[in-house]
Amino acid sequence: MNYYAIKAIYLHEMDRLWRTLFQSILSPVVSTSLYFIVFGSVIGGMVPQVDGVSYGSFIVPGLLMLTLLTQSLSNSSFGIYMPKFAGSIYEILAAPISSFEIVIGFVGASATKSLIVGTIILITATFFAEVRIDHPFVMVFLLVLTCFTFSLFGFLIGVLSENFEQLQVIPLIVVTPLVFLGGSLYSIEMLPEFWQQISYFNPVVYLINGMRWAFYGVSDINIWISVVSMLGFLSICIVAAMIILTKGYRIKS
Amino acid sequence: MTDKLISIQNLSKTYNDSFQALKNVSLDINKGEIFALLGPNGAGKTTLINIICGLVRPSSGSVMVNGADIIKDYKITRSQIGLVPQELTLEQFETVFQNVSYTRGLYGKSGNPTYIEKVLRDLSLWDKKKTRLGQLSGGMKRRVLIAKALSHEPSVLFLDEPTAGVDVELRQDMWRIVENLRQTGVTIILTTHYIEEAEAIADRVGVIDNGEMIVVDEKDALISKMGQKKLIIQLHEKVTNLPEELSSYELELAADGLSLSYSYDAKSSQTGITNLLQKIKDSGMKLSDLKTEQGTLEDIFVSLVNKEKK
Ligand SMILES: Nc1ncnc2c1ncn2[C@@H]1O[C@H](COP(=O)(O)OP(=O)(O)OP(=O)(O)O)[C@@H](O)[C@H]1O
Ligand SMILES: [Mg+2]
């Protein structure tokens, strides 16, 4: 293993975070705070309890997941796309590093950033709603798992994208709707029967419900199904990453 | 026999299953030499270098660096290689010192600020160490790329057109840097469009055209073997027209009317010099001096590439 290289990539990526501290941390905090104010406090005042907790508390796990997911995707997709765009990726490709080591460096840094942002969001949430965590270990596990899985997914998007448009298309038109329709702001049971059935095909539903279980012990879906489906998605991403990188697809001619 | 450092065998590259950029190239690079790769635009120089450095995959053939295969043992070969790419590809926001240290890390070496300082000082970059890359001039960026390539103490350095678009002063700096590196035992492979550059610093020269290696030889041998020589005849008195009897020779009369030059093939058994001098003597012109000049790599290059085109 080329540990120095992994460390170099990791620190290089983390540097980017410090350089852009403002947008990296402040902007997710501001936007999530807005959600808490609008949905939690305003609408929450009109909505009775959901699954035994106040509406403000109910939306915390979902909004946390929403931030983790979008942050992880954008961190790592930009992280690998930028050197590709600037051409400076040549030095990573010419260095004595394996694909696996490259992935660890980039994905590790991206996941770290998301975890930092996630922690800050969680702290912010406590200012707006009463937050209770029934299963803290499961919560941390899901947090870390989500950060790594979606950082890896974002890495793949960055590798495969040939321009900025493609880089933004997947997060924008695929992930955002899935997240909003993933039950971050409501319980699946509130939907009409037909949409409930459809929702079970949305992977984000499993994520958010897993997290909600970790917080309040309530969920539309069994926690194990949630965990297994997330691990499944992670495995798919790992296999895809290995195939794409060993073939050098869209990086090497 | 000199020690072989890089051994390229029957290397071919076809881009996108259609365009053949390298055709069965074989070449050995000796330890400690400066090798210049010449060739017109699109000849395949960058492709060849990028394959050795791991940026482009070969379609067939093999390359060994110090006995290790560039694909099977890529970690071993790449850690010995430094590459200065043709394009100025740098990120914008990092500082010079950070970025050069970053490259050293990528190559699996622990941090060594003292060494990085030395590299930056040698390249006159030390006072820019805290400057962001995006704020550097083109020539400075080129130096940073060289510093990055040297950051991990490689034993082979590839310079892909190191002096493209740099001013005369920087170019001479560059030559001095290359010469210093050679003193420390680094093997250097460079590509260039400036033939005088290859002439000034290379030990051996390879000419590549259309993906084929046309010729590889010692620089001096190449010049003397293939070069035209020029005989310069200084005249005692000014002449305005050449006498009739000399018209069968391709002579050039200098603008000042005081010298004649005669090009001939030094390899040929009949250079025609004796006859020419006899005729000049017969015509009554008086000579004040004679000298010969060696042809340049540029002449050779042009004639080789033209021959290929025919
Ligand atoms: N990624 C690529 N895909 C397709 N064709 C390519 C690619 N890279 C290079 N080529 C083609 O291969 C040929 C050789 O290119 P190469 O860059 O090796 O030339 P070069 O000798 O370095 O030229 P120059 O002096 O202009 O730098 C060119 O015709 C070029 O268009
Ligand atoms: Mg080139």
Side-chain angles (χ1 to χ4, degrees):
Chain A
M1 279 291 250
N2 185 346
Y3 293 107
Y4 284 113
I6 297 174
K7 187 177 143 196
I9 294 177
Y10 182 86
L11 293 179
H12 183 253
E13 283 302 293
M14 290 309 286
D15 262 349
R16 226 163 39 89
L17 170 73
W18 308 133
R19 272 202 307 269
T20 55
L21 200 63
F22 189 75
Q23 62 177 49
S24 302
I25 291 182
L26 204 64
S27 84
V29 169
V30 169
S31 59
T32 335
S33 300
L34 289 174
Y35 280 119
F36 283 129
I37 293 168
V38 173
F39 290 99
S41 309
V42 180
I43 299 183
M46 303 187 262
V47 176
Q49 291 208 326
V50 186
D51 289 347
V53 291
S54 77
Y55 185 70
S57 306
F58 176 83
I59 61 173
V60 172
L63 289 179
L64 178 62
M65 278 311 210
L66 182 128
T67 313
L68 287 185
L69 225 146
T70 46
Q71 283 291 308
S72 301
L73 280 178
S74 72
N75 285 338
S76 59
S77 60
F78 270 97
I80 187 70
Y81 183 78
M82 287 315 285
K84 232 175 72 166
F85 178 72
S88 55
I89 194 161
Y90 85 88
E91 61 176 334
I92 294 174
L93 299 178
I97 322 174
S98 66
S99 318
F100 183 63
E101 290 155 351
I102 297 176
V103 172
I104 298 194
F106 276 100
V107 171
S110 164
T112 308
K113 286 187 219 177
S114 306
L115 282 173
I116 294 174
V117 174
T119 309
I120 295 175
I121 296 287
L122 196 56
I123 294 168
T124 314
T126 60
F127 291 105
F128 297 94
E130 197 186 319
V131 178
R132 193 182 82 218
I133 302 172
D134 286 354
H135 307 278
F137 288 113
V138 177
M139 199 266 308
V140 172
F141 174 74
L142 288 178
L143 210 65
V144 173
L145 185 63
T146 306
C147 288
F148 273 95
T149 306
F150 285 88
S151 291
L152 184 57
F153 188 51
F155 183 84
L156 295 180
I157 295 174
V159 166
L160 296 179
S161 295
E162 279 169 335
N163 51 47
F164 275 101
E165 223 171 22
Q166 293 180 359
L167 189 66
Q168 283 168 333
V169 141
I170 294 189
L172 212 66
I173 71 168
V174 181
V175 177
T176 311
L178 284 183
V179 168
F180 270 94
L181 301 174
S184 48
L185 298 172
Y186 54 87
S187 166
I188 302 294
E189 284 170 20
M190 296 168 164
L191 292 174
E193 180 74 19
F194 174 73
W195 290 104
Q196 280 189 35
Q197 296 303 323
I198 296 279
S199 294
Y200 290 114
F201 291 100
N202 180 354
V204 180
V205 166
Y206 297 85
L207 266 179
I208 289 176
N209 276 286
M211 198 50 125
R212 194 167 286 142
W213 183 84
F215 273 73
Y216 307 120
V218 287
S219 166
D220 298 334
I221 288 162
N222 184 302
I223 176 67
W224 292 111
I225 297 179
S226 286
V227 171
V228 167
S229 52
M230 280 176 71
L231 288 173
F233 184 57
L234 176 62
S235 317
I236 293 172
C237 289
I238 291 176
V239 171
M242 289 304 127
I243 292 174
I244 288 167
L245 290 173
T246 43
K247 286 184 123 184
Y249 186 61
R250 291 207 183 156
I251 304 187
K252 278 190 202 184
S253 13
Chain B
M1 265 298 282
T2 33
D3 271 350
K4 267 194 270 176
L5 182 69
I6 300 178
S7 166
I8 301 167
Q9 263 168 25
N10 308 104
L11 195 64
S12 296
K13 172 65 190 179
T14 308
Y15 283 110
N16 310 325
D17 299 326
S18 56
F19 180 79
Q20 197 171 9
L22 282 183
K23 299 167 186 161
N24 211 20
V25 170
S26 294
L27 170 72
D28 288 333
I29 305 286
N30 302 323
K31 214 165 244 173
E33 74 174 341
I34 299 181
F35 187 91
L37 201 52
L38 300 176
N41 286 131
K45 305 180 292 294
T46 301
T47 303
L48 179 60
I49 287 182
N50 285 356
I51 288 177
I52 303 174
C53 296
L55 296 176
V56 170
R57 317 155 174 274
S59 305
S60 64
S62 71
V63 182
M64 309 283 272
V65 178
N66 238 338
D69 183 87
I70 55 155
I71 294 178
K72 223 168 68 231
D73 307 314
Y74 72 96
K75 285 204 176 183
I76 300 172
T77 62
R78 290 188 201 169
S79 58
Q80 303 174 47
I81 295 177
L83 167 65
V84 180
Q86 181 171 359
E87 313 284 335
L88 292 174
T89 45
L90 286 168
E91 283 177 41
Q92 294 287 304
F93 303 110
E94 261 195 317
T95 66
V96 171
F97 193 89
Q98 266 182 328
N99 195 249
V100 174
S101 307
Y102 167 59
T103 309
R104 185 179 167 90
L106 288 181
Y107 278 79
K109 296 233 164 174
S110 62
N112 185 344
T114 328
Y115 178 74
I116 303 287
E117 174 174 347
K118 181 184 172 298
V119 169
L120 292 182
R121 283 191 190 281
D122 286 351
L123 290 162
S124 318
L125 280 172
W126 184 241
D127 56 332
K128 304 265 182 213
K129 62 179 184 293
K130 288 189 178 147
T131 309
R132 291 198 189 289
L133 298 172
Q135 295 166 355
L136 294 172
S137 74
M140 286 294 171
K141 285 184 179 151
R142 184 74 66 189
R143 284 170 196 251
V144 172
L145 288 171
I146 297 179
K148 282 159 76 75
L150 294 174
S151 66
H152 60 283
E153 303 158 67
S155 55
V156 195
L157 182 65
F158 286 91
L159 295 153
D160 200 351
E161 291 188 32
T163 53
V166 306
D167 64 17
V168 180
E169 198 181 340
L170 182 51
R171 191 183 310 175
Q172 270 160 6
D173 262 10
M174 218 63 101
W175 293 1
R176 183 183 49 75
I177 292 162
V178 167
E179 188 50 44
N180 286 348
L181 283 171
R182 186 243 287 274
Q183 305 278 324
T184 64
V186 178
T187 305
I188 293 154
I189 294 104
L190 60 92
T191 73
T192 178
H193 284 285
Y194 301 109
I195 296 175
E196 68 269 24
E197 188 159 279
E199 219 171 326
I201 58 178
D203 301 312
R204 287 200 308 148
V205 174
V207 178
I208 189 168
D209 186 31
N210 244 322
E212 284 176 273
M213 199 58 98
I214 311 173
V215 70
V216 178
D217 211 337
E218 304 279 331
K219 175 186 66 185
D220 297 336
L222 193 63
I223 294 174
S224 64
K225 196 159 69 188
M226 316 230 9
Q228 294 259 308
K229 282 185 109 175
K230 233 181 220 174
L231 175 67
I232 315 278
I233 304 158
Q234 304 280 350
L235 302 174
H236 204 67
E237 278 156 10
K238 199 170 175 163
V239 292
T240 42
N241 284 313
L242 287 177
E244 262 306 291
E245 55 262 53
L246 294 178
S247 61
S248 59
Y249 292 90
E250 283 182 30
L251 287 176
E252 268 177 64
L253 183 62
D256 63 4
L258 279 172
S259 76
L260 294 172
S261 70
Y262 170 63
S263 297
Y264 63 99
D265 191 343
K267 289 179 301 179
S268 131
S269 52
Q270 293 197 322
T271 58
I273 295 177
T274 322
N275 275 334
L276 173 66
L277 292 181
Q278 185 65 46
K279 290 244 169 83
I280 291 176
K281 186 179 173 228
D282 293 349
S283 73
M285 287 191 278
K286 277 199 180 136
L287 310 187
S288 68
D289 200 1
L290 283 180
K291 69 174 179 194
T292 60
E293 273 178 6
Q294 190 74 61
T296 62
L297 273 178
E298 178 132 26
D299 305 333
I300 300 170
F301 180 68
V302 168
S303 78
L304 275 175
V305 171
N306 284 341
K307 211 188 290 170
E308 278 291 303
K309 292 226 168 77
K310 275 173 205 156

